């Protein structure tokens, strides 16, 4: 079944997304594959491990990731499961429209206001506001988020990285996932 939620939010810009991303976000689906989880070094590692625990991420190394992407009338839900047992669920609510809007991503412990850039057919998130446990965190104090999804080699490339200037990467995960079923 086709869900128009994201196509409507993107408007004419929806066609700028790679066709694989268009399909995924109109029909939903289950993506699976190996991802690499990495933590920084020194102080960045200490901070990254704390952040990783809050996000329910596994230890550094290669892990199995399954992502169920589903849509309702007014939101998109991503359920990420590492190694068949560590789950992170996010709800994304699109507000406004591509040119004048953003997504509100909520998890158990955080809320992110994310704008979207389309670069070479890929979907790139840009964090413009963050809250942990309902406390707003000034962007200059919060870790920088680099997150995107692309179509690559007939698979879906996911990349998520939290970093601080000078310290570098705190925690990141990335990999190529394959569409294994439509939801």
């Amino acid at each position: 079944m086709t869900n128009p939620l994201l196509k409507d939010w993107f408007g004419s810009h929806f066609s700028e997304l790679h066709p694989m991303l268009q399909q995924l976000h109109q029909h939903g689906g289950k993506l699976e594959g190996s991802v690499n989880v990495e933590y920084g070094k020194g102080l960045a590692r200490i901070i990254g491990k704390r952040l990783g625990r809050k996000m329910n991420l596994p230890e550094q190394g290669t892990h199995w990731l399954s992502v169920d992407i589903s849509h309702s009338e007014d939101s998109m839900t991503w359920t990420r499961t590492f190694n068949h047992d560590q789950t992170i669920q996010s709800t994304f609510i699109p507000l406004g429209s591509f040119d004048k809007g953003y997504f509100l991503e909520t998890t158990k412990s955080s809320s992110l206001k994310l704008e979207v850039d389309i670069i070479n057919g890929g979907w790139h998130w840009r964090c413009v506001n963050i809250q942990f446990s309902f406390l707003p965190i000034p962007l200059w104090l919060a870790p920088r988020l680099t997150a995107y999804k692309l179509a690559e080699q007939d698979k879906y490339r996911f990349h998520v990285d939290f970093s601080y200037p000078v310290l570098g990467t705190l925690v990141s995960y990335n990999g190529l996932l394959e569409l294994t079923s439509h939801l």
Side-chain angles (χ1 to χ4, degrees):
M1 181 171 103
T2 300
N3 186 306
L5 177 68
L6 296 180
K7 188 173 184 181
D8 291 347
W9 187 84
F10 277 98
S12 63
H13 297 281
F14 191 72
S15 64
E16 296 173 30
L17 289 169
H18 189 280
M20 287 175 57
L21 292 174
Q22 291 177 37
Q23 282 292 107
L24 181 62
H25 291 296
Q26 286 184 308
H27 302 284
K30 182 179 194 117
L31 305 174
E32 296 182 296
S34 293
V35 294
N36 295 314
V37 176
E38 296 181 19
Y39 291 91
K41 294 180 175 35
L43 181 58
R45 183 177 187 83
I46 293 167
I47 297 168
K49 297 278 267 177
R50 293 190 80 186
L51 181 59
R53 277 193 301 276
K54 287 201 175 288
M55 294 173 54
N56 206 24
L57 292 175
E59 291 297 315
Q60 183 162 305
T62 301
H63 301 275
W64 186 256
L65 175 63
S66 170
V67 182
D68 291 317
I69 300 170
S70 61
H71 304 87
S72 69
E73 275 184 26
D74 60 357
S75 67
M76 172 176 61
T77 301
W78 283 38
T79 304
R80 302 167 200 84
T81 305
F82 289 89
N83 302 320
H84 309 287
D85 66 354
Q86 288 179 263
T87 299
I88 306 166
Q89 186 171 48
S90 295
T91 301
F92 296 86
I93 300 171
L95 299 164
S97 63
F98 178 78
D99 292 323
K100 299 176 187 154
Y102 58 91
F103 282 79
L104 186 62
E105 178 187 7
T106 56
T107 65
K108 275 193 313 195
S109 61
S110 68
S111 175
L112 303 174
K113 184 176 174 182
L114 302 166
E115 294 179 351
V116 177
D117 295 315
I118 300 172
I119 302 170
N120 297 324
W123 178 322
H124 296 253
W125 294 111
R126 190 167 16 96
C127 185
V128 296
N129 185 290
I130 188 167
Q131 292 184 355
F132 282 112
S133 301
F134 303 104
L135 296 171
I137 307 295
L139 282 180
W140 62 270
L141 186 58
R144 279 197 189 140
L145 170 66
T146 302
Y148 56 83
K149 48 193 166 184
L150 312 167
E152 183 181 309
Q153 303 170 12
D154 292 328
K155 294 182 181 179
Y156 297 86
R157 162 75 60 196
F158 281 84
H159 179 91
V160 177
D161 181 274
F162 289 93
S163 65
Y164 270 134
V166 180
L167 293 179
T169 293
L170 305 175
V171 60
S172 70
Y173 67 91
N174 67 78
L176 280 173
L177 304 180
E178 193 170 344
L179 180 66
T180 57
S181 66
H182 289 285
L183 296 180

